[in-house]
Amino acid sequence: MRYVKPLSLFQDLVRGNALERGRLLGLDVGDKYVGVAVSDIHNKIASPLSVLLRKKSTLDMMADDFQSLISELSLEGFIVGYPFDRQRRSPDAVQVNLFIDDLSATRKLEGLKYTYWDEGFTSKNVELLLRPLNLHPVTSKTIVDKFAAVGILQGYLDYVNRKQKSVTAQDFGKQTQVLTEHLKL
């Protein structure tokens, strides 16, 4: 696995063949579970996919699951939720780093790109939405993990698509200016 900057991951996707463009997987890494979300083929919308049990003893199986998803869904990279806290290094950040290190150590996901994205309050937001439904705690936890991954991935997709749109608009403006100047000659 190889870390890349958030915009670089998306720019690599955009540079590829539009018909064969890969998708992204969002991960919400917790102590016991990893919530998983997937982007649509246009990398505009995130959808919940599953929740994986996170144990040291099941890491090889999890890497195998990721390998299957990579081929089934044409995945190009992971967007990993990260608790950015400028004040201190949080225990959650340590958990995310350990997870990535352990997953990389399996050597089953060589060449796969990943980046970190702020997971700020994604789980809390979903918990607040679910509270009035009075769901069983296990059901609620599964939904929270899946939809926290959706929140992480959707936040990333919204940001990079906005950035891409502004770059495209700037390029269009420059091309129009060049064309206008050329026509004046």
Side-chain angles (χ1 to χ4, degrees), residues 1-86:
M1 292 178 63
R2 182 170 63 93
Y3 173 80
V4 294
K5 292 180 180 180
L7 282 175
S8 298
L9 179 58
F10 194 74
Q11 288 167 343
D12 290 348
L13 278 177
V14 172
R15 279 188 210 112
N17 182 348
L19 297 175
E20 297 174 16
R21 188 169 297 155
R23 298 160 81 178
L24 298 168
L25 207 64
L27 303 178
D28 177 47
V29 180
D31 292 340
K32 297 179 185 174
Y33 301 100
V34 177
V36 182
V38 65
S39 67
D40 67 329
I41 59 172
H42 304 292
N43 289 305
K44 303 270 188 212
I45 299 170
S47 299
L49 188 62
S50 66
V51 174
L52 302 174
L53 181 62
R54 180 181 175 210
K55 282 186 177 177
K56 197 79 157 162
S57 61
T58 61
L59 209 56
D60 274 338
M61 286 191 308
M62 188 182 291
D64 291 338
D65 288 344
F66 285 138
Q67 280 180 319
S68 296
L69 288 172
I70 288 166
S71 61
E72 287 173 31
L73 301 173
S74 301
L75 296 176
E76 291 289 327
F78 290 171
I79 309 304
V80 183
Y82 195 86
F84 290 103
D85 185 348
R86 299 188 198 306

Side-chain angles (χ1 to χ4, degrees), residues 118-132 143-144 147-148 151-152:
D118 190 6
E119 69 171 17
F121 304 108
T122 52
S123 294
K124 286 291 177 206
N125 289 339
V126 177
E127 286 171 8
L128 290 171
L129 289 170
L130 294 179
R131 189 175 294 153
I143 293 171
V144 166
F147 280 90
I152 291 162

